[in-house]
Amino acid sequence: LQLHHSSCYSCRGQVNSWWSVKSWESVLVTVTVHRVLPLGVSLWAQSPRGQVALGEHLVLSCTVAAGTGPLSFSWHQEGLWAPLGTGPHLELQHIGDND
């Protein structure tokens, strides 16, 4: 469902026979679609041996347990404004002293 699906809905049924046509219509049902804010945001790190040494590879992953709407991700290092990445995963190829 999307927000634009909020509306009133009904259904109709019809039976055709050679002697008559009978039709029925249901009552209206109001459907309201709400946005659910992201819940359960978690971050985990995957490194080759569980710890990261200089020069090694590190993958950081961000997951969201629940939520609706398009999600966007932005990775930042403490104290720095410029984003390091914008996807759900951030790969650091060669870990250095500043990482």
Side-chain angles (χ1 to χ4, degrees), residues 18-75:
W18 61 274
W19 67 87
S20 68
V21 174
K22 294 195 181 231
S23 61
W24 297 268
E25 187 169 343
S26 72
V27 297
L28 286 174
V29 173
T30 301
V31 174
T32 305
V33 180
H34 298 279
R35 184 177 308 274
V36 176
L37 295 176
L39 300 171
V41 177
S42 59
L43 169 67
W44 60 273
Q46 176 186 5
S47 64
R49 295 186 315 258
Q51 294 185 8
V52 181
L54 287 173
E56 288 188 338
H57 179 248
L58 174 67
V59 177
L60 299 174
S61 296
C62 186
T63 58
V64 177
T68 59
L71 293 173
S72 61
F73 299 87
S74 180
W75 292 92

Side-chain angles (χ1 to χ4, degrees), residues 1-10 28-35 68-69:
L1 288 173
Q2 300 295 321
L3 292 175
H4 70 270
H5 290 115
S6 293
S7 187
C8 293
Y9 293 88
S10 67
L28 286 174
V29 173
T30 301
V31 174
T32 305
V33 180
H34 298 279
R35 184 177 308 274
T68 59

